Amino acid sequence: MSGTILEVENLSVDIPVAAGMLHPVRGIGFSVSRGETLCIVGESGCGKSLTSLAIMGLLPKTARRNADRIEFLGRDIRNLREREMARLRGGSMSMIFQEPMTSLNPSYTIGNQLAEVYLRHVEQSRAAARDRAVFLLEKVGISSAASRLGQYPHQLSGGQRQRVMIAMALMCGPELIIADEPTTALDVTIQAQILHLLAELQREFRMGMILITHDLGIVARVADKVQVMYAGKTVEEGPCETVFDAPMHPYTQGLLRCIPIPGRTRRGERLGSVPGIVPNLVGELSGCLFRNRCDHARDACAGMRDDEPTRMGDGHAYTCLRAPGEISGELQAAEAP
Amino acid sequence: MPAYTLKRTFVAFLILIVVSGLTFSLSHLSADPALTIGGEQASEEDIQAIRKLYGFDRPIHVQYLDWLGRALSGDFGESYHYKQRVFDMVSERIGRTMLLGTLAILFALVVSIPLGTLAAMRPNSITDRIALFIAVLGQALPTFWFALMMIIVFGVWWRWLPISGHTQWANYVMPTIALGYYATPALMRLTRAGMIEVLASDYIRTARAKGLSPASVLFKHALRNAIIPVVALAAVWFGFMLGGSIVIETIFNLKGIGWLSYDALLRSDLPVVQAIVLIFASFYVVLTLLADLLNAYLDPRISVR
């Protein structure tokens, strides 16, 4: 597709640790097109943040990245040198982090930190950088933007700082924006505002966006495509509506039971949970890793090949031994009153 | 910021008053100035006469206030031994001590900051080990021994540098290194620890995500934050360099006020001792004040608290 910005195939990240080799990301793939929002969902430790850092080339030094393909704007970026990678970062791909309180340098003014990216990637004009900064601060909803340029991060609230981080990510007009749990550290009321803002800006500037989150409520509101990760693997992916209407993987179903759905969840009804914890990802792993937490686990799960998903058409796919008929029958039964 | 500066200056002034009071009373309790002035042959009547003449028979707080009043107008009295004005004796030599102290702290900073940064970039690497070794050595070697070794090697064997005096620039090379090396380990370790902590911080990840050059990430974003505690420590060490120059000035016969204080202590020359202690205390107080103000400038969050 001509609008494709990023294509990733079979990406894995390995980190040597004392106990052996840790495999936090084990062969995942996805693509993002212009104007499209991909949500990567999963619980803590499933490898979603490392996936985004791997794309940005910001993995810790000890981590090793492998991929069959990482193509950004039609260009293979797997073997780019650090210098060339730095040209892309902050320029045509930028990132918003989870912790707005600590992600800005306390020693420099907002204006300085905003202008810096622009001066690095676009042009050496302080005036132009300043104008762009004011324009974007207004865009992200910061009042009296011009006078904010001289303020330091500690003079702003968490929500304002995250707005500044968003403005910073947009300074050079990126094609791709990766937001790693951008609302997790914020108050619930602010969360909705920030999310709404991100979705709006993404539509306005026609950027591709990867939104990383553990909150399916967020996904439902903004995603075009969903990718559910478990233990470093994609267990289910597909268009947002399809996945929400007919989740095929037991893990996705479990996650969906955790959130209240208007009109479907009755008042006073207990929400579900997914019991158990993510398995240890050190050493050789085989079979379906969700099997020890799964209600439908059977003997064959231990020998399952997790690199051959069951494809359902229109991009919906899941990695589970259960046949589509078996699952959809169950879903219908559950929905009946 | 002006309110902050004013508050800090007031506290600094109070500290000086307390320090001068303590030195005055302690030195007058530990040695009888009348005995020093009279010498060993003086009779009891002579001593009494001297006490009356110099006013030592008055209560100590009266003597202190008298001394303080005159000290504030720059009159530190007269040396019992040299019969010279203390003010003249000190002002003739203070420049040498200031020069030595400044050179020493600059030497320490120039060595420790790059070394600490280099060590922090690759913790536990060979560079880090070498930096640590240099630091441990600086901490373990007694200053006087290190100074004497330098004198033997560079002054006696190779005859590169003069071993005593204060008349030419070359006279300051060995004292600077000997004194500055002593401050290097602490400053280097703090730079290293600060850099390691800062380099792992979220805003460094942000700086890298912005695609900034490695130099900009390291120097603009990391070093500035890592250096804040180093500035405060360097100010304290600078005070230490000025006060701690007693040993070094004596070894190299560099006649600054460190040397003078050593000489005055041996002779119980109290007016000189008091003046120098007050000067050293003022150095500390002023330097700490300057460090606080510099910190407030480097870290905008400080003056708000």
Side-chain angles (χ1 to χ4, degrees), chain A residues 102-103 107-108 112 116 120, chain B residues 202 206 210-211 220-221 225:
Chain A
T102 50
S103 290
S107 296
Y108 294 97
N112 182 321
E116 184 179 45
R120 164 87 172 153
Chain B
D202 289 336
T206 306
K210 283 156 88 176
K220 178 177 174 185
H221 286 274
N225 286 291

Side-chain angles (χ1 to χ4, degrees), chain A residues 74-89:
Chain A
R75 184 178 173 202
D76 186 356
I77 60 168
R78 280 175 307 166
N79 300 315
L80 283 191
R81 284 180 312 171
E82 174 55 29
R83 181 186 292 263
E84 294 166 301
M85 205 55 216
R87 287 259 151 244
L88 295 178
R89 279 202 299 264

Side-chain angles (χ1 to χ4, degrees), chain A residues 53 56-58 61 86 89-90 95 97 99 102-108 112-113 116-117 120-121 152 154 165 168, chain B residues 121-122 201-206 208-214 216 219-222 224-225 228 298-301 304:
Chain A
L53 292 177
M56 293 287 287
L58 287 175
K61 270 182 201 152
R89 279 202 299 264
M95 189 155 176
F97 295 100
E99 306 85 1
T102 50
S103 290
L104 288 163
N105 193 325
S107 296
Y108 294 97
N112 182 321
Q113 295 185 57
E116 184 179 45
V117 217
R120 164 87 172 153
H121 296 287
Y152 289 93
H154 70 268
M165 286 301 290
M168 193 182 285
Chain B
M121 281 165 69
R122 296 179 178 277
S201 69
D202 289 336
Y203 55 82
I204 292 302
R205 188 183 56 187
T206 306
R208 295 184 60 215
K210 283 156 88 176
L212 302 179
S213 67
S216 174
F219 297 115
K220 178 177 174 185
H221 286 274
R224 163 116 177 220
N225 286 291
I228 291 172
L298 285 174
D299 184 348
R301 286 170 300 182
V304 177

Side-chain angles (χ1 to χ4, degrees), chain A residues 287-288 291 297-305 321:
Chain A
C288 173
R291 63 182 185 269
R298 48 185 97 150
D299 292 345
C301 292
M304 188 191 80
R305 290 202 51 182
L321 283 179

